[in-house]
Amino acid sequence: MADYILRMKGPDAKGLIYRVTQVLFENKCNVIRQDEYVSPDDQFFMRTDFSFEGELSKDKILGDLQKNISFDALEITLNQKAKKNIILFCTKEHHCLAEIITRHYFGELNAHIVAVVSNHEVLKPYVDKFGIPYHFVNAENLSREQHEAEVFKITDLYTFDHMVLAKYMRILTPTFVNRFADKIINIHHSFLPAFIGANPYKQAYDRGVKIIGATAHFVNDMLDEGPIIAQGTKEVDHRHSAADMAREGRDVEKMVLINALKLVLDDRVFVHGNRTVVL
Amino acid sequence: MADYILRMKGPDAKGLIYRVTQVLFENKCNVIRQDEYVSPDDQFFMRTDFSFEGELSKDKILGDLQKNISFDALEITLNQKAKKNIILFCTKEHHCLAEIITRHYFGELNAHIVAVVSNHEVLKPYVDKFGIPYHFVNAENLSREQHEAEVFKITDLYTFDHMVLAKYMRILTPTFVNRFADKIINIHHSFLPAFIGANPYKQAYDRGVKIIGATAHFVNDMLDEGPIIAQGTKEVDHRHSAADMAREGRDVEKMVLINALKLVLDDRVFVHGNRTVVL
Amino acid sequence: MADYILRMKGPDAKGLIYRVTQVLFENKCNVIRQDEYVSPDDQFFMRTDFSFEGELSKDKILGDLQKNISFDALEITLNQKAKKNIILFCTKEHHCLAEIITRHYFGELNAHIVAVVSNHEVLKPYVDKFGIPYHFVNAENLSREQHEAEVFKITDLYTFDHMVLAKYMRILTPTFVNRFADKIINIHHSFLPAFIGANPYKQAYDRGVKIIGATAHFVNDMLDEGPIIAQGTKEVDHRHSAADMAREGRDVEKMVLINALKLVLDDRVFVHGNRTVVL
Amino acid sequence: MADYILRMKGPDAKGLIYRVTQVLFENKCNVIRQDEYVSPDDQFFMRTDFSFEGELSKDKILGDLQKNISFDALEITLNQKAKKNIILFCTKEHHCLAEIITRHYFGELNAHIVAVVSNHEVLKPYVDKFGIPYHFVNAENLSREQHEAEVFKITDLYTFDHMVLAKYMRILTPTFVNRFADKIINIHHSFLPAFIGANPYKQAYDRGVKIIGATAHFVNDMLDEGPIIAQGTKEVDHRHSAADMAREGRDVEKMVLINALKLVLDDRVFVHGNRTVVL
C-alpha cells in the first residue's frame, strides 16, 4: 500500500469534485484527506491524499481524469508521497540553516539535503559535522553575474526540487530567479510588506513597532515581492534595540521558514498569482 | 437563489464524497465550499455549502442521497442558511453579554436573541436599552431544583436553537442539562482542563501561571467537561494579581465565546464524543 | 490616603533614581511601583506610582525634586490618579466606539466620555442610549478646512485630555493635528507601516498576507506616521476575502485600541521622538 | 569596565530603593537597568544591572548595603556578569537538547555546557559531534535509587550552576531533587497544570483541546508542581492526532525551554513560594 498526492488547479466548473472523486472511487483509491478551494476569480484548487493497494497506474488515473473532466486548462499532478531533494543557500547566519539541518539529521524533515551553497566559509565547520557537501563560492571581486555563474556550476551538479534561501544575503539577478522559477523559498526578516529591503530590524526599531515578524515566500523577480507562504510575529517593546529585535526575530524566522518548508514539502502549497493557496 | 448547508456525520465508507457530490451535481446544486474529515475511529464528517437557483426540494435531495448512500447510521441535515434563535443566560458580569448584544444590535451576529435570563437584576438596565426581554429569576431561598423550575417557566415561553451561558454562575442540574441537550454553550474562565471549578483565576494566580485562558464548550452533565469548541490564551506575569488576571481574562473570554458562537451559528461544529470537529 | 503618579523625562544623569527616591522617602511617600528606562540616546524616563497619607503638597515635592536634581531639561509631572476626560470621533463603523462606550458604561474605563463627534449620523441611535452627547457635523459640500472649523465649534464646548479617533475616516489637516497636539490617539486598520493609506485590507488581500494587524498610535502631521502605542495581529488564510479580513480585523482593531487607551489613561506612555516608551 | 548584577529579595520596607541606589551612587556604580517588584505579601524583589570602571570591591558594596539597610532577612547577591555552567539531561527526544547545543555551539547561549547525561545512548552520536562529554547511565535492571546513585557519580565530576532536564523522561526521587535544590529546570510537555503526569498529548487529544502548550519550571519534590518560569501555546484542531499534537508541541517545548533558560542565565528569575518573579 502506498500513499499518493493528486493536485489540481485550473478554472472552476460544476461537478469537478464529483468527477474527480468518481475516478478515484472507480479506480479503488482510498481517499484519506481531500481539500478544495475555489477562489473569488473562479480558480479551482484541489489536493487529494489517497492510498492504493498494489501498483497504481498513474497513466490510467490521469487518463480517466482527462476523459471525465476534459478541461485542457487544468494543471494536474499525481505523485507518490516521497522525500524531496532540497539545496540550501546561506551566508553567515546559522539559525535557519541549523534548524533545517538538525531536523534533517534526526529524520524529521520530509526532504533530503543535497548540498549547502554559501558566499562565506563561516558555516562550513558546522555543516561538515553532518556530512553534507558545503560549497563556498567566493563573491569577492566578482560582479553579481560572475558570482552567479560560479554558483550555477555548483547547482548544475545536483538535482533538487526546491532551493531554500536560509538567510542568503545576496540580491538575485532575474537570470538566477528565472533559472529556478517556482523553486526558490526565501525567509525575509520582516513582516512583509513592512520593511522591504535592507536592515528591516533597523527600520522596525526606527519606526517604533511593538511587534516584529518574518515572512517565508517564493521568490520572483521582484525583490521581497513573491507569493507569501507563511508569516509569524513576536511582541517587542521599547527596551528592544535594533540588535535585540534582530536576535528575537531570528527565533521567528527559523520557525516560519520551517513551517513554510513543511507545507511545501507536503505538496500543500499552490501559487495563485501573487498569493498562495495552502490546502 | 438561496444558500444551503448540508451536514453529514456517520461511519466512513469508500466513495462517500463521490456519492454525495454526484447527487448535488445531478440536482444542479452549486457547491460553494465543501469540507470533509474522517476521524481516526473512522467517522465521516462533511459540511457542504451550496447555492440553488429556484426552489430546492429538500425531500428530493435527501431522497436521492438516501438512495445513493443508504447507510442508515448517517445523520444528515439539510437547511437553508438562516438566522438562529438564541437565548442568553447571565449573572452579574457584563462583558460576554454586552459583546453578544452589541454585535446583535449592529446586525453582525447570525442570530436573533429571543431573551436574556438572569439570577440577578444588575444587567437589566443595560439589556433594556436594546429592547430585549430580560427575565430576572431570583434564586434566593430556593433550592437549585426550585430555581430551575422557575427558569423553565421562562424558557418554555421561547423557541431557540442555542442557549448561551454568558457567564451564568450557577451550577446546572442534570435535569437542566438534559432538557437542553446539545444546545448549551458555556464560556469557562480558564484554559480547560486546567482550573476546573470555582475561582479559576485565583487558582491560576496561586499556581503562578504565565498564561491564562478561556474555553467555550458545549455543556454536558459533567461540570466543565463538555466538548470544547474554542479556546484562547493571554500572557500574564508576576505583576498580575488574581483580580488583574480576571480582568485581563475577561477580554479573552468574550472573544473566545464570540468565536465559538460564530462557528456554531454557521453550522460548522460537529460533536464527536467529547471532542468537536469544526469544518 | 490618595494615589499619585510622578512622571519624569529628560537627559539621563548618574544618581537620578537615587535623588528622586530620596525626595519621596523624605516626604513620606509610599512607592507602590516604580519603573525606569534609559534609552540608547541617553534619555531617562521614570514613572512612579506612590500613595500618601494626608494632604500631599505637590509644590513641596516638586520643589524638593528641583533642588535635588536641578536639571532644567527634565519634564516632570505629578498628578493625583484620576479619571481623564476623553472625546470620541467616529464615522460609520461601530466596533471601536461601542467597545469604548460599553466599558465606560460599566465603569471599566478610567475615563469620562464628554462627547462623540461624527461626520455621519448612523451611530447616533446607539450613542443616545447611553446619554452621551452626539454631535453630527456634516461634511457634505464643505472643504476639509470648513468642516474642521465646524468641528472646532464642538470641541471648543468641551475640556478633554485625549481625543480618540475610533475609526474616524477623515484625513486631518495639520491645523487640526496641531490644535490637539499629543492628544490624538488613532486606530489604523493595518499592521503599520504595512499598508499605509486607504483600504489596507484590500491591500493586504492583494499582497496575500497570512497575518493581518492593527495599530494604535498618536497622530502627528504625517499620515499614519505617529508614535505607535500598541499593535495586534491575527492569522488569516487564502479563504479570507478582503471583506473577511476587514471583519476579522475589526476584532483586532477594537482590542488594540482599548489596550492603547488603557495605557494612556494610566499615564504609562511617554513619547520619545517617533517611538513610545511604555512603563 | 565590567558589568555586575545585584539581586535582592526580602521583606519590603520604606526607602529600600532609595537606600540601595544611594550606595550604588556613592560607590560610583553606573546603573544600566533596575527593576523592582513588591508582591502582595510585601516581599521586595530587585535586580540591578550596573557597570563599574576599575576594580569593584564586592565587600565594600555589600558592607555599605548592610549598613544602610540592615535588614537581616534580605537575601543579597552581587556577581559579575559571566557565563554559567549547565549540565543537560536527556532521554531519547532530541529537540530540546539540540536546540540548546546548537545555540551553545554558535555562542548564543550565556552558558557553558559541562556535560550531557542520559539514560539512553541514542543521542550520543549527535552530542559527540560537538565535543561535549556524553554520559550514558543505563537504568535497566536498576531501582530508581540505584540508577540515581550511578548518575550522582557523574554529576559529582562536574561543577554547574543549573541542571536542565531537556526531556529527561525519568521520575526523580526526593533525594535527587533535594541534592540539586533550586538548580533544576524542567520542560513539561503540557500547559501546566493541565495534563500533569504521563502522556499529556494523549490526554490533550482525548480532552479535545484546541490549544496545546508547554511549561518550563523549577523542579521541587512535587511532580510537575514547581515554580513556573515560562509557558507557551500553539493552536491545534480536530485534525491533529495525539502524535500530531506531540510533534507540533515539540516546537513549543524547545522555544519555551530556551526562553526560560535565557531568563535564568541572565539572573532575572526569583523564586517566590511556588511562583516566580521575572525582572
Side-chain angles (χ1 to χ4, degrees):
Chain A
M1 184 133 85
D3 278 353
Y4 295 83
I5 302 287
L6 173 70
R7 284 165 54 104
M8 297 179 53
K9 172 184 167 182
D12 190 30
K14 267 200 186 175
L16 266 180
I17 302 174
Y18 155 57
R19 290 180 198 279
V20 174
T21 49
Q22 182 182 33
V23 168
L24 294 176
F25 177 69
E26 290 173 359
N27 280 277
K28 300 189 191 312
C29 301
N30 182 39
V31 174
I32 297 166
R33 177 170 173 177
Q34 175 168 305
D35 292 283
E36 319 91 21
Y37 169 65
V38 178
S39 67
D41 60 347
D42 288 321
Q43 293 293 300
F44 174 81
F45 300 84
M46 188 167 106
R47 176 188 182 276
T48 308
D49 185 344
F50 67 89
S51 62
F52 186 80
E53 276 186 69
E55 204 174 333
L56 183 80
S57 166
K58 281 175 55 170
D59 288 350
K60 171 72 164 59
I61 301 275
L62 292 174
D64 287 1
L65 281 171
Q66 195 62 25
K67 252 182 287 174
N68 216 29
I69 303 179
S70 63
F71 293 122
D72 294 337
L74 277 174
E75 296 169 30
I76 304 182
T77 61
L78 172 58
N79 289 304
Q80 195 170 341
K81 273 193 196 175
K83 283 201 177 190
K84 303 281 201 314
N85 285 328
I86 60 175
I87 192 166
L88 307 182
F89 277 62
C90 63
T91 295
K92 288 177 173 177
E93 286 177 281
H94 67 275
H95 56 292
C96 289
L97 186 81
E99 184 74 23
I100 296 172
I101 285 177
T102 301
R103 289 176 189 254
H104 177 255
Y105 175 78
F106 285 107
E108 273 186 11
L109 207 65
N110 197 18
H112 174 66
I113 302 175
V114 297
V116 175
V117 179
S118 180
N119 57 327
H120 280 276
E121 284 182 299
V122 63
L123 295 173
K124 186 171 190 309
Y126 176 79
V127 174
D128 282 351
K129 291 179 193 300
F130 297 89
I132 300 167
Y134 187 96
H135 299 277
F136 164 48
V137 185
N138 199 335
E140 272 177 45
N141 304 318
L142 297 186
S143 71
R144 199 170 298 285
E145 288 71 22
Q146 286 170 324
H147 180 251
E148 289 187 351
E150 294 301 310
V151 167
F152 295 157
K153 288 181 191 164
I154 305 300
T155 54
D156 282 351
L157 300 174
Y158 298 98
T159 304
F160 49 87
D161 301 284
H162 300 287
M163 175 185 291
V164 181
L165 307 183
K167 302 289 287 181
Y168 182 57
M169 307 308 275
R170 302 272 304 167
I171 293 175
L172 307 175
T173 68
T175 305
F176 190 108
V177 172
N178 290 328
R179 188 177 184 110
F180 306 108
D182 301 331
K183 285 191 170 178
I184 313 177
I185 299 164
N186 184 44
I187 179 71
H188 185 80
H189 42 318
S190 91
F191 186 74
L192 288 177
F195 312 127
I196 284 176
N199 287 327
Y201 291 117
K202 176 65 169 57
Q203 293 183 56
Y205 175 81
D206 289 343
R207 183 61 190 88
V209 296
K210 300 298 187 189
I211 297 180
I212 55 171
T215 305
H217 62 98
F218 288 115
V219 175
N220 62 18
D221 43 7
M222 301 285 284
L223 178 65
D224 301 337
E225 291 285 353
I228 293 170
I229 306 165
Q231 296 187 294
T233 57
K234 187 167 195 171
E235 294 189 11
V236 291
D237 64 29
H238 61 272
R239 292 196 186 277
H240 289 83
S241 65
D244 294 335
M245 288 185 182
R247 198 187 56 239
E248 295 292 318
R250 285 196 285 268
D251 289 352
V252 185
E253 292 165 25
K254 74 178 193 178
M255 299 313 277
V256 167
L257 179 57
I258 280 292
N259 290 341
L261 191 53
K262 279 185 196 168
L263 294 172
V264 170
L265 293 175
D266 285 350
D267 287 316
R268 295 185 53 194
V269 184
F270 296 76
V271 171
H272 177 218
N274 204 41
R275 314 175 79 242
T276 61
V277 171
V278 180
L279 296 182
Chain B
M1 185 136 83
D3 280 351
Y4 296 83
I5 302 287
L6 173 70
R7 285 165 54 105
M8 297 178 52
K9 172 184 168 184
D12 189 29
K14 268 200 186 177
L16 266 180
I17 302 174
Y18 156 56
R19 290 180 197 280
V20 174
T21 50
Q22 183 183 33
V23 168
L24 294 176
F25 176 70
E26 289 174 0
N27 280 280
K28 299 190 195 312
C29 301
N30 183 38
V31 174
I32 296 166
R33 176 171 176 177
Q34 175 168 305
D35 293 282
E36 319 91 23
Y37 169 65
V38 178
S39 67
D41 61 346
D42 288 319
Q43 292 294 299
F44 175 81
F45 300 85
M46 190 167 105
R47 177 188 182 277
T48 307
D49 185 344
F50 67 90
S51 63
F52 186 81
E53 276 186 71
E55 204 173 333
L56 183 81
S57 164
K58 280 176 57 171
D59 289 349
K60 171 76 164 57
I61 300 275
L62 291 174
D64 287 359
L65 281 172
Q66 194 63 25
K67 250 182 287 173
N68 217 29
I69 303 177
S70 63
F71 295 122
D72 294 339
L74 278 174
E75 296 170 29
I76 302 182
T77 61
L78 172 58
N79 289 304
Q80 195 170 340
K81 273 193 197 176
K83 284 203 178 189
K84 304 280 201 313
N85 285 330
I86 60 176
I87 191 166
L88 307 181
F89 277 62
C90 62
T91 295
K92 288 178 174 177
E93 287 178 281
H94 66 275
H95 57 291
C96 289
L97 185 82
E99 185 73 25
I100 295 171
I101 285 177
T102 301
R103 289 175 190 254
H104 177 256
Y105 174 78
F106 285 107
E108 273 186 11
L109 206 65
N110 196 19
H112 175 66
I113 302 174
V114 297
V116 175
V117 179
S118 180
N119 57 326
H120 280 274
E121 283 181 300
V122 63
L123 294 174
K124 187 171 190 308
Y126 176 80
V127 174
D128 282 350
K129 292 180 192 299
F130 298 89
I132 301 167
Y134 187 97
H135 300 277
F136 165 49
V137 184
N138 199 337
E140 270 176 48
N141 304 320
L142 297 187
S143 70
R144 198 170 300 284
E145 288 69 22
Q146 286 170 324
H147 180 251
E148 290 186 353
E150 293 302 309
V151 168
F152 295 156
K153 288 182 192 162
I154 304 299
T155 55
D156 282 351
L157 300 174
Y158 298 98
T159 305
F160 48 88
D161 301 284
H162 300 287
M163 175 185 291
V164 182
L165 307 183
K167 303 287 288 180
Y168 182 58
M169 308 309 276
R170 301 271 304 169
I171 293 174
L172 307 175
T173 67
T175 304
F176 190 109
V177 172
N178 291 328
R179 189 179 183 109
F180 306 110
D182 301 329
K183 285 192 169 177
I184 313 175
I185 300 165
N186 184 45
I187 179 71
H188 185 79
H189 42 320
S190 91
F191 186 76
L192 287 177
F195 311 127
I196 285 176
N199 288 326
Y201 291 118
K202 177 67 169 54
Q203 292 183 56
Y205 175 82
D206 288 342
R207 182 61 189 90
V209 297
K210 300 299 185 186
I211 298 181
I212 54 170
T215 305
H217 62 99
F218 289 115
V219 175
N220 62 20
D221 42 8
M222 301 284 285
L223 176 66
D224 301 337
E225 291 285 351
I228 293 171
I229 306 166
Q231 295 187 293
T233 58
K234 187 167 196 174
E235 295 191 9
V236 292
D237 63 30
H238 60 272
R239 291 196 187 277
H240 288 85
S241 65
D244 294 334
M245 288 186 182
R247 198 187 55 239
E248 296 292 318
R250 286 195 283 267
D251 290 352
V252 185
E253 292 165 25
K254 75 179 191 177
M255 299 312 276
V256 167
L257 179 57
I258 278 293
N259 291 340
L261 191 53
K262 281 184 195 168
L263 293 173
V264 169
L265 294 174
D266 286 349
D267 287 317
R268 294 185 54 193
V269 184
F270 296 76
V271 171
H272 176 217
N274 204 41
R275 313 175 77 241
T276 61
V277 171
V278 180
L279 296 182
Chain C
M1 185 135 82
D3 280 351
Y4 296 84
I5 303 287
L6 173 70
R7 285 164 54 104
M8 297 179 52
K9 172 185 168 183
D12 189 28
K14 268 200 186 174
L16 267 180
I17 302 175
Y18 156 56
R19 290 179 198 280
V20 175
T21 50
Q22 184 182 31
V23 169
L24 295 176
F25 177 69
E26 290 173 358
N27 280 279
K28 299 190 194 311
C29 302
N30 183 39
V31 173
I32 296 166
R33 176 170 174 178
Q34 175 167 305
D35 293 281
E36 319 90 23
Y37 169 66
V38 178
S39 67
D41 61 347
D42 289 319
Q43 292 295 299
F44 175 81
F45 300 84
M46 191 167 104
R47 177 188 183 277
T48 307
D49 185 344
F50 67 91
S51 63
F52 186 81
E53 277 186 71
E55 203 172 334
L56 184 80
S57 164
K58 280 175 57 169
D59 289 349
K60 170 76 165 58
I61 301 275
L62 291 173
D64 288 0
L65 281 171
Q66 195 61 25
K67 252 182 287 174
N68 216 29
I69 303 178
S70 64
F71 295 122
D72 294 338
L74 278 174
E75 296 169 30
I76 303 182
T77 61
L78 173 57
N79 289 305
Q80 195 171 338
K81 274 193 197 176
K83 285 202 178 191
K84 304 281 201 311
N85 285 329
I86 60 175
I87 191 166
L88 308 181
F89 276 61
C90 62
T91 295
K92 288 178 173 176
E93 287 176 280
H94 67 274
H95 57 291
C96 288
L97 186 81
E99 184 73 25
I100 295 171
I101 286 177
T102 302
R103 288 175 190 254
H104 178 255
Y105 175 79
F106 285 107
E108 273 187 10
L109 207 64
N110 196 18
H112 174 66
I113 302 174
V114 298
V116 175
V117 180
S118 179
N119 58 326
H120 280 274
E121 284 182 299
V122 62
L123 295 173
K124 187 172 190 307
Y126 176 79
V127 174
D128 282 351
K129 292 181 192 300
F130 298 89
I132 300 167
Y134 187 97
H135 300 276
F136 165 49
V137 185
N138 199 336
E140 271 176 48
N141 305 318
L142 295 186
S143 71
R144 197 170 299 284
E145 288 70 21
Q146 287 170 324
H147 180 251
E148 289 186 354
E150 294 300 311
V151 167
F152 295 156
K153 289 182 191 162
I154 305 298
T155 55
D156 282 350
L157 301 174
Y158 298 99
T159 305
F160 48 88
D161 301 285
H162 300 286
M163 174 185 290
V164 181
L165 307 183
K167 303 288 288 181
Y168 182 57
M169 308 308 275
R170 301 273 303 169
I171 293 175
L172 307 176
T173 68
T175 305
F176 190 109
V177 172
N178 291 328
R179 190 179 183 108
F180 306 109
D182 302 329
K183 285 192 169 177
I184 313 176
I185 299 164
N186 184 45
I187 179 73
H188 185 79
H189 42 319
S190 90
F191 186 76
L192 287 177
F195 312 126
I196 285 175
N199 287 327
Y201 291 117
K202 177 65 169 55
Q203 292 183 57
Y205 176 82
D206 289 343
R207 183 60 190 90
V209 297
K210 300 298 187 188
I211 297 181
I212 55 171
T215 305
H217 62 99
F218 288 116
V219 175
N220 62 20
D221 43 8
M222 301 283 284
L223 176 66
D224 301 339
E225 292 285 352
I228 293 170
I229 306 165
Q231 296 187 293
T233 57
K234 187 168 197 174
E235 294 191 11
V236 292
D237 64 29
H238 60 272
R239 292 196 186 277
H240 288 84
S241 65
D244 294 334
M245 287 185 184
R247 198 187 55 237
E248 296 292 319
R250 285 195 284 267
D251 289 352
V252 185
E253 292 165 25
K254 75 179 192 177
M255 298 312 276
V256 166
L257 179 57
I258 279 293
N259 290 340
L261 191 53
K262 280 184 195 168
L263 294 173
V264 170
L265 294 175
D266 285 350
D267 287 317
R268 295 185 53 193
V269 184
F270 296 76
V271 171
H272 177 217
N274 205 40
R275 313 175 78 242
T276 60
V277 171
V278 180
L279 296 183
Chain D
M1 184 135 86
D3 279 352
Y4 296 83
I5 302 287
L6 173 70
R7 286 164 53 104
M8 296 178 54
K9 172 185 168 183
D12 190 28
K14 267 200 186 174
L16 266 180
I17 302 174
Y18 156 56
R19 291 178 196 280
V20 175
T21 50
Q22 183 183 32
V23 169
L24 295 176
F25 176 70
E26 290 174 358
N27 280 277
K28 300 190 193 311
C29 301
N30 183 39
V31 173
I32 297 166
R33 176 170 174 178
Q34 175 167 306
D35 293 282
E36 317 91 22
Y37 169 65
V38 178
S39 66
D41 60 347
D42 289 320
Q43 291 295 298
F44 174 79
F45 300 84
M46 189 167 104
R47 176 189 182 276
T48 308
D49 185 345
F50 67 90
S51 62
F52 186 80
E53 276 187 70
E55 204 174 332
L56 184 81
S57 166
K58 282 176 54 172
D59 288 349
K60 172 74 164 59
I61 301 274
L62 292 174
D64 287 0
L65 282 171
Q66 194 63 24
K67 253 181 288 176
N68 218 28
I69 304 179
S70 64
F71 294 123
D72 294 337
L74 276 174
E75 296 170 29
I76 303 183
T77 61
L78 172 58
N79 289 305
Q80 195 170 339
K81 273 193 197 174
K83 284 202 178 190
K84 303 281 202 313
N85 285 327
I86 59 175
I87 192 166
L88 308 181
F89 276 62
C90 63
T91 294
K92 288 178 174 175
E93 286 178 280
H94 68 274
H95 57 290
C96 289
L97 186 82
E99 184 73 24
I100 295 172
I101 286 177
T102 301
R103 290 175 189 254
H104 177 256
Y105 175 78
F106 285 107
E108 272 186 12
L109 207 65
N110 197 19
H112 174 66
I113 303 175
V114 297
V116 175
V117 180
S118 180
N119 57 327
H120 280 274
E121 283 182 300
V122 62
L123 295 173
K124 187 171 190 308
Y126 176 80
V127 175
D128 282 350
K129 291 180 194 298
F130 298 89
I132 299 167
Y134 187 97
H135 300 277
F136 164 49
V137 185
N138 199 335
E140 271 176 47
N141 304 319
L142 297 186
S143 71
R144 199 169 298 284
E145 287 71 20
Q146 286 170 324
H147 181 250
E148 289 186 353
E150 294 300 310
V151 167
F152 295 156
K153 289 181 191 164
I154 304 299
T155 54
D156 282 351
L157 301 174
Y158 298 97
T159 305
F160 48 87
D161 301 285
H162 299 287
M163 176 186 289
V164 181
L165 307 183
K167 302 289 287 182
Y168 182 58
M169 308 307 276
R170 301 271 304 168
I171 293 174
L172 307 175
T173 67
T175 304
F176 190 109
V177 172
N178 290 328
R179 188 178 185 109
F180 307 109
D182 300 331
K183 285 191 169 178
I184 312 176
I185 299 164
N186 184 46
I187 179 71
H188 186 79
H189 42 318
S190 90
F191 187 75
L192 289 177
F195 311 126
I196 285 176
N199 289 325
Y201 291 117
K202 176 66 169 55
Q203 292 183 57
Y205 176 82
D206 289 343
R207 183 61 190 88
V209 296
K210 300 300 186 187
I211 296 181
I212 55 171
T215 305
H217 62 99
F218 289 115
V219 174
N220 61 20
D221 43 7
M222 300 284 286
L223 177 66
D224 301 337
E225 290 286 352
I228 292 170
I229 307 165
Q231 296 187 294
T233 57
K234 188 168 196 172
E235 294 190 9
V236 291
D237 64 28
H238 61 271
R239 292 196 186 277
H240 288 83
S241 65
D244 294 335
M245 288 185 183
R247 199 187 56 239
E248 296 293 317
R250 286 194 284 267
D251 290 352
V252 185
E253 292 166 25
K254 74 179 192 178
M255 300 312 276
V256 167
L257 179 57
I258 279 292
N259 290 341
L261 191 52
K262 281 184 194 167
L263 294 172
V264 170
L265 294 175
D266 286 349
D267 288 316
R268 296 184 54 195
V269 184
F270 296 76
V271 171
H272 177 217
N274 204 40
R275 313 176 77 241
T276 60
V277 171
V278 180
L279 296 183

